[in-house]
């Protein structure tokens, strides 16, 4: 047993790399990765044991002993400890920041505790039960309790309470007489009800068989990374389920990552119904207690499959067999806050270290992953057909400029009107997409052209019909609609553009009596909001679902035969080199919601840029054609994956300060590049300016923007940028490498 250990203290609050040495009292079992309470100055703080040591480098008289351990198991398993160290190195951030990712917030702040529940059990058996029962002839409630517990099992008070009103007093009486024992036991709070119906296993399609014949051997040998490109409706979920089951059969564990937005109760209960109690769920909508308990179930081996959003990649599982990343192209797999890790890369690192297989899957793989597959980093697997050879939906593109020329200024093209009418008449369901929530994305003065803006952010305010107020979608501020134009005083303010509320209103106006449900951030708030909207649609109580990108993802409604993208190209105009990729993914996923049942599906894409290759490729659902065009465009224009884009964002209360800081950074880099000709060769381009959105939540934003070659020198430049960003500046600064958005 070692006598000393290094402890990273206070990981919940401190951003520290420093470890302090403590002594381990005799008879205390301390392991690397355990959480401990240690004296620190005059306080007692929580820490993580980083390493055990036989000797201390510090003077013995200054070393204090550990006060106690918080659990009798290691909170951070050895491979996860290594991962934390690797990430701290890679992101140039304090170890405390990466250790924090490995334990749930609830555990770090000791906000929740283990939950105990009261249980009761009969102490008598056989003939004695009858005697005990007779002895209670004047207390029918006690008799009933004896009957209920006559199986000799433990019964929780909460279940007894369902059958007998207020059973505690009666049980206590029985306990006094030695008939019953009441005791407390640790229980896990479960976010999802047990005892869900078990669904039968379908017979695998040849496509699924083939893909699994590659994945299963990889799980067996504990090695192999795959990218599965399977069209929408090709049955990828069934592949995940079989792969996970195989891992379980080998006594291994599994992680299934699903984007937060589609981690709906529907998907979760579906997984749980196929895996049973061995699945645990980790995501942000769980209560603190539930999250903590799910984490402990995984750590203690009670659960063997972790299903969750991005952060579930750190699930405390041992003997990992496979990590699956569903919808791998989703932006939400990259973390926006520091350390800005990419869950797919973390998954790869874990799989390599822990001897597991990796499966990334999507109907629209990211350009990056598909390029990696082309390079041989992943083995490419394909499922080009839908289950049961169901055809992919037929897609029509409507040129909205032509509609205008024909005098149609409405939201719906003639074709979409006609198809909606047919769909509604037939009693089928439809989905309509527009990528803005609210009523109108902007309010403009017809006299001077002024657009109403949030006074905290440099973005247009959205008009919401439900509360008749102006909303800012960046900071959430809500203000009333001014009577007059704040700029010229005219009365000619008018709403422009289409949001989900307006789309729904127009639909109801054009199709009187049609039932609708709206799915956007406004209607899905709260723990149950999402589920409620979905079940309204599933039950058929609403015939048309109107929504934002939320409706594009993962939903499986067999009655939907028509999908309409009302304004397909809004996302093409974003200040982002991935705008085309995003638009293609969104439209292809959206189209994939149509025709999943027995009837064939149709899709209508309304666009002002119908000739754009992202729109054309989405219409034919031709991923390869899109990939080829996008890949050569990126090569030509020097965008990732051929280059690295980085920026340091400066945020200040004052634009002058923000620009001063970014300007000074520019000079630093400029001078450095003069000293380092090799670096200079790798830097293709750099500039300093205002960020595309100049102000968010009152903070002025400026940036140092750099594009460089993806090579060793490029990485050295990034390390230098990270050094710059950690210097003392007059405002807060953030380094972003290939950021998810360039706003
Ligand atoms: P994807 O995720 O690839 O879009 P899903 O996994 O949602 O596709 O599968 C599409 C539909 O096909 C689902 O309703 C699913 O239950 C069904 N399905 C999947 N595999 C099979 C199979 N082998 N036999 C019959 N139906 C299947
Ligand atoms: Zn005006
Ligand atoms: Zn705002």
């Amino acid at each position: 047993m070692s006598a000393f250990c290094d402890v990273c203290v206070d990981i919940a609050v401190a951003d520290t790399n420093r470890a302090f040495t403590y002594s381990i009292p005799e008879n205390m079992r301390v392991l690397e990765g355990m959480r401990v309470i240690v004296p620190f100055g005059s306080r007692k703080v929580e820490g993580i044991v980083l390493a055990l040591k036989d000797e201390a480098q510090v003077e013995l008289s200054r070393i204090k002993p550990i006060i106690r351990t918080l659990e009798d198991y290691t909170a951070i398993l050895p491979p996860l400890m290594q991962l934390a160290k690797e990430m701290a190195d890679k992101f140039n951030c304090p170890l405390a920041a990466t250790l924090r990712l490995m334990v749930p917030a609830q555990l770090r702040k000791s906000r929740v505790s283990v939950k105990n529940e009261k249980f009761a059990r009969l102490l008598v058996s056989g003939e004695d039960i009858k005697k005990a029962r007779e002895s209670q002839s004047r207390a029918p409630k006690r008799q009933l309790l004896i009957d209920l517990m006559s199986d000799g099992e433990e019964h929780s008070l909460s279940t007894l309470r369902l059958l007998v009103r207020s059973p505690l007093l009666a049980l206590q009486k029985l306990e006094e007489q030695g008939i019953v024992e009441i005791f407390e036991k640790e229980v896990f709070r479960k976010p999802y009800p047990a005892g869900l119906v078990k669904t039968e296993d379908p017979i695998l399609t040849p496509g699924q068989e083939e893909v699994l014949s590659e994945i299963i051997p990889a799980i067996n040998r504990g090695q192999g990374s795959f990218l599965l490109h399977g069209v929408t409706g090709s049955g990828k979920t069934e592949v995940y389920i079989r792969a996970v089951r195989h891992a379980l059969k080998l006594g291994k564990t599994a992680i299934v990552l699903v984007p937060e937005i589609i981690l709906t109760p529907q998907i979760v209960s579906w997984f749980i119904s196929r895996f049973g109690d061995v699945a645990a769920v980790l995501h942000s909508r769980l209560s603190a207690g539930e999250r903590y308990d799910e984490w402990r179930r995984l750590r203690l081996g009670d659960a063997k499959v972790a299903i969750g959003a991005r952060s579930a990649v750190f699930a405390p599982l041992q003997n990992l067999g496979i990590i699956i990343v569903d919808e791998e192209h989703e932006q939400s797999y990259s973390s926006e806050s520091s350390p800005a890790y990419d869950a797919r890369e973390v998954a790869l690192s874990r799989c390599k270290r822990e001897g597991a297989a990796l499966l990334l899957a999507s109907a629209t793989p990211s350009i990056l992953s598909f390029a990696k597959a082309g390079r041989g980093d992943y083995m490419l697997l394909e499922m080009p057909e839908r289950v049961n050879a169901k055809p992919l939906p037929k897609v029509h593109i409507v040129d909205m400029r032509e509609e205008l020329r024909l005098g149609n200024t409405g939201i719906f093209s003639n074709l979409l009107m006609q198809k909606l009418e047919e769909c509604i008449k037939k009693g089928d369901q439809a989905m309509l997409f527009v990528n803005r929530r609210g009523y109108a994305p902007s309010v403009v003065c017809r006299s001077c052209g002024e657009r109403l803006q949030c006074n905290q952010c440099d973005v247009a305010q959205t008009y919401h019909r439900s509360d008749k107020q102006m909303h800012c979608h960046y900071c959430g501020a809500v203000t009333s609609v001014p009577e007059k134009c704040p700029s010229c005083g005219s009365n000619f303010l008018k709403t422009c553009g289409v949001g989900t509320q307006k789309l729904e209103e127009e639909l109801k106006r054009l199709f009187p009596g049609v039932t609708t449900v709206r799915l956007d951030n406004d209607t899905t708030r709260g723990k149950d909001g999402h589920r409620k909207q979905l079940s309204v649609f599933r039950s058929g109580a609403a015939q048309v679902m109107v929504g934002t990108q939320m409706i594009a993802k993962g939903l499986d409604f067999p009655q939907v035969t028509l999908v309409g993208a009302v304004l397909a190209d809004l996302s093409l105009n974003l200040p982002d080199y991935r705008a085309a990729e995003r638009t293609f993914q969104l439209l292809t996923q959206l189209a994939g919601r149509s025709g999943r049942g027995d009837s064939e599906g149709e899709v209508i894409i309304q666009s002002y840029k119908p000739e754009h290759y992202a729109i054309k490729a989405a219409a034919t659902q031709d991923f390869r054609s899109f990939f080829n065009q996008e890949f050569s465009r990126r090569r030509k224009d020097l965008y990732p994956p051929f280059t690295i884009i980085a920026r340091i964002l400066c945020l200040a209360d004052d634009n002058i300060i923000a620009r001063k800081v970014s300007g000074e950074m520019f000079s630093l880099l400029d001078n450095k590049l003069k000293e380092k000709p090799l670096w200079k060769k790798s830097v293709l381009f750099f500039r300093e300016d205002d960020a595309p959105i100049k102000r968010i939540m009152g903070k002025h934003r400026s940036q140092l923007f750099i594009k460089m070659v993806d090579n060793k020198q490029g990485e050295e430049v990034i390390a230098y940028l990270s050094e710059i960003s950690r210097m003392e500046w007059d405002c807060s600064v953030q380094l972003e490498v290939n950021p998810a958005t360039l706003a």
Side-chain angles (χ1 to χ4, degrees):
M1 205 60 193
S2 306
F4 304 98
C5 62
D6 284 341
V7 175
C8 181
V9 294
D10 236 9
I11 67 160
V13 284
D15 261 341
T16 171
N17 260 328
R18 283 196 57 193
F20 297 89
T21 302
Y22 289 88
S23 61
I24 302 173
E26 241 174 87
N27 301 327
M28 191 187 282
R29 187 168 154 270
V30 174
L31 302 171
E32 280 179 21
M34 266 191 178
R35 297 193 314 137
V36 290
I37 298 285
V38 291
F40 191 67
S42 56
R43 296 182 300 146
K44 289 180 190 170
V45 301
E46 203 185 296
I48 300 263
V49 176
L50 296 180
L52 301 177
K53 309 200 292 191
D54 292 327
E55 283 167 39
Q57 282 80 25
V58 192
E59 204 181 304
L60 282 181
S61 63
R62 291 177 51 206
I63 297 181
K64 295 179 191 162
I66 287 178
I67 297 172
R68 64 189 168 93
T69 55
L70 279 164
E71 290 94 15
D72 54 10
Y73 54 86
T74 54
I76 301 182
L77 293 161
L80 287 168
M81 186 66 99
Q82 286 169 22
L83 177 66
K85 288 178 182 163
E86 176 188 277
M87 288 176 71
D89 260 1
K90 171 165 180 198
F91 294 104
N92 230 317
C93 71
L95 187 57
T98 55
L99 287 174
R100 268 203 285 272
L101 299 168
M102 315 282 163
V103 283
Q106 293 74 27
L107 201 68
R108 290 187 324 248
K109 292 179 193 139
S110 306
R111 275 207 308 252
V112 289
S113 50
V114 171
K115 185 177 165 189
N116 286 318
E117 216 187 303
K118 278 202 170 64
F119 282 78
R121 186 163 56 109
L122 271 193
L123 290 175
V124 293
S125 58
E127 276 299 296
D128 292 343
I129 297 183
K130 224 165 120 199
K131 271 192 226 145
R133 200 178 179 284
E134 276 158 15
S135 74
Q136 307 298 322
S137 58
R138 266 184 286 153
K141 193 192 268 185
R142 286 181 226 160
Q143 280 189 330
L144 180 55
L145 284 165
I146 293 174
D147 289 343
L148 288 171
M149 295 191 294
S150 58
D151 56 5
E153 302 284 325
E154 298 170 350
H155 294 260
S156 77
L157 238 69
S158 54
T159 53
L160 288 176
R161 223 172 257 131
L162 297 176
L163 308 165
V164 183
R165 199 156 53 87
S166 322
L168 186 60
L169 206 65
L171 286 169
Q172 281 165 344
K173 280 267 152 50
L174 289 171
E175 187 177 36
E176 280 165 25
Q177 298 171 30
I179 298 173
V180 158
E181 173 191 36
I182 304 176
F183 53 96
E184 292 215 338
K185 214 170 91 168
E186 187 179 320
V187 291
F188 295 114
R189 281 153 284 213
K190 290 217 179 121
Y192 297 94
L196 290 155
V197 270
K198 258 194 108 150
T199 341
E200 286 288 313
D201 287 353
I203 297 165
L204 293 176
T205 65
Q208 290 167 332
E209 290 273 13
E210 200 179 312
V211 159
L212 281 164
S213 74
E214 298 286 349
I215 298 169
I216 295 217
I219 301 175
N220 292 341
R221 59 173 190 267
Q223 189 195 24
S225 316
F226 303 93
L227 175 64
L228 168 59
H229 172 217
V231 297
T232 55
S234 57
K236 294 185 286 296
T237 322
E238 195 60 38
V239 171
Y240 309 157
I241 286 170
R242 301 297 171 101
V244 169
R245 285 233 199 106
H246 183 77
L248 292 175
K249 213 168 71 195
L250 298 180
K252 298 188 178 196
T253 62
I255 298 175
V256 183
L257 299 186
V258 183
E260 180 90 45
I261 191 165
I262 67 163
L263 202 58
T264 56
Q266 178 204 346
I267 300 261
V268 170
S269 42
W270 152 257
F271 271 117
I272 292 181
S273 72
R274 301 294 301 279
F275 294 137
D277 254 2
V278 295
V281 188
L282 296 169
H283 67 79
S284 64
R285 279 192 299 269
L286 300 184
S287 74
E290 287 168 348
R291 236 183 123 82
Y292 172 52
D293 285 1
E294 291 289 81
W295 184 88
R296 272 186 324 130
R297 285 180 59 215
L298 290 163
R299 175 59 191 88
L300 300 177
D302 188 50
K304 298 189 185 310
V305 185
I307 303 166
R310 181 176 67 220
S311 59
V313 74
F314 302 108
L317 285 166
Q318 278 167 298
N319 202 4
L320 203 54
I322 187 166
I323 300 183
I324 295 168
V325 184
D326 182 30
E327 312 280 356
E328 70 86 27
H329 63 280
E330 278 285 322
Q331 210 174 315
S332 61
Y333 287 125
S334 341
S335 163
E336 310 232 302
S337 51
S338 170
Y341 68 90
D342 181 327
R344 294 167 301 183
E345 280 166 22
V346 175
L348 181 63
S349 164
R350 265 199 93 164
C351 286
K352 291 220 158 121
R353 181 178 294 110
E354 299 176 47
L358 175 67
L359 174 62
L360 307 177
S362 174
T364 52
S366 63
I367 296 289
L368 190 65
S369 296
F370 204 76
K372 281 188 179 166
R375 211 166 65 187
D377 293 4
Y378 308 130
M379 177 174 176
L380 183 66
L381 304 172
E382 294 187 274
M383 297 203 297
E385 270 164 32
R386 282 188 158 182
V387 171
N388 298 333
K390 241 172 253 166
L392 281 167
K394 206 189 288 158
V395 183
H396 312 268
I397 303 183
V398 177
D399 184 345
M400 290 306 273
R401 295 168 306 192
E402 194 58 32
E403 291 287 314
L404 265 180
R405 245 170 265 141
L406 297 173
N408 178 5
T409 55
I411 299 176
F412 301 106
S413 61
N414 287 321
L415 183 65
L416 184 52
M417 276 298 284
Q418 178 203 326
K419 295 286 177 189
L420 267 171
E421 200 173 325
E422 281 171 23
C423 173
I424 292 171
K425 212 180 264 163
K426 262 194 295 186
D428 286 353
Q429 288 185 309
M431 283 176 158
L432 292 177
F433 159 81
V434 64
N435 74 351
R436 291 292 178 79
R437 67 191 163 93
Y439 188 81
S442 58
V443 173
V444 178
C445 168
R446 269 197 285 187
S447 180
C448 74
E450 171 90 357
R451 216 160 55 134
L452 295 186
Q453 287 208 340
C454 173
N455 57 21
Q456 291 290 308
C457 313
D458 179 37
V459 293
Q461 285 175 302
T462 302
Y463 176 63
H464 281 227
R465 176 56 65 89
S466 43
D467 60 0
K468 301 194 168 49
Q469 305 266 27
M470 303 299 300
H471 290 234
C472 172
H473 289 177
Y474 276 81
C475 70
V478 179
T479 57
S480 52
V481 185
E483 303 217 333
K484 292 178 168 30
C485 168
S487 163
C488 75
S490 89
N491 289 324
F492 305 123
L493 290 175
K494 104 176 180 189
T495 58
C496 286
V498 183
T500 45
Q501 293 176 2
K502 182 165 185 180
L503 181 57
E504 189 179 27
E505 188 184 279
E506 270 295 287
L507 183 72
K508 288 191 152 153
R509 191 178 65 80
L510 293 166
F511 299 95
V514 69
T515 45
T516 61
V517 61
R518 184 154 57 84
L519 202 69
D520 59 28
N521 268 337
D522 297 318
T523 61
T524 55
R525 296 232 166 98
K527 199 177 169 188
D528 254 0
H530 205 247
R531 170 161 52 187
K532 273 190 201 135
Q533 303 298 97
L534 292 181
S535 62
V536 167
F537 196 54
R538 188 168 299 280
S539 71
Q543 222 181 339
V544 184
M545 175 181 276
V546 169
T548 54
Q549 41 268 43
M550 268 184 199
I551 70 172
K553 307 196 171 147
L555 300 178
D556 191 23
F557 290 108
Q559 296 305 318
V560 172
T561 56
L562 177 65
V563 164
V566 167
L567 254 186
D569 27 41
L570 271 179
S571 51
L572 276 180
N573 304 324
L574 297 175
D576 194 330
Y577 70 91
R578 273 159 304 196
E581 180 178 358
R582 299 258 159 81
T583 304
F584 172 79
Q585 285 164 352
L586 183 61
L587 293 177
T588 310
Q589 298 278 349
L590 192 64
R593 299 311 112 210
S594 186
R596 294 172 77 91
D598 295 330
S599 325
E600 229 174 282
E602 280 191 286
V603 180
I604 298 189
I605 296 178
Q606 303 191 151
S607 169
Y608 286 94
K609 284 185 189 159
E611 65 285 348
H612 194 286
Y613 64 93
I615 304 236
K616 280 175 135 169
T620 49
Q621 315 207 18
D622 186 347
F623 175 77
R624 270 175 202 274
S625 138
F626 173 73
F627 176 80
N628 290 335
Q629 293 180 71
E630 179 67 4
F631 201 60
S632 34
R633 183 188 71 92
R634 297 229 187 141
R635 178 179 304 148
K636 182 165 89 21
D637 297 345
L638 295 172
Y639 280 119
F642 299 97
T643 57
I644 309 175
I645 284 177
R647 70 168 176 177
I648 303 182
L649 201 57
C650 305
L651 307 168
D653 293 331
D654 189 331
N655 180 256
I656 297 176
I657 293 181
R659 288 301 295 267
K660 186 185 80 128
V661 171
S662 47
E664 284 169 13
M665 289 179 171
F666 180 91
S667 313
L668 270 181
L669 180 63
D670 197 30
N671 289 334
K672 191 78 179 181
L673 293 185
K674 281 179 190 140
E675 288 168 27
K676 300 249 185 191
L678 278 179
W679 286 16
K680 187 158 186 173
K681 254 172 104 183
S682 286
V683 173
L684 299 164
F685 162 86
F686 66 113
R687 69 159 192 267
E688 180 272 325
D689 60 357
D690 284 333
I693 297 181
K694 294 192 188 75
R695 202 162 50 112
I696 292 180
M697 289 195 188
K699 291 284 182 203
H700 291 263
R701 309 163 85 238
S702 67
Q703 62 183 8
L704 174 63
F705 185 96
I706 308 110
K707 207 191 240 187
M708 61 212 123
V709 182
D710 191 354
N711 61 10
K712 186 166 152 283
Q713 283 77 28
E715 273 175 23
E716 287 168 7
V717 175
I718 292 191
Y720 179 64
L721 294 175
S722 152
E723 205 180 305
I724 293 184
S725 66
R726 273 178 294 128
M727 289 161 59
E728 289 272 329
W729 295 102
D730 290 344
C731 69
S732 73
V733 303
Q734 291 163 11
L735 170 66
E736 303 176 326
V737 180
N738 288 339
T741 139
L742 289 171

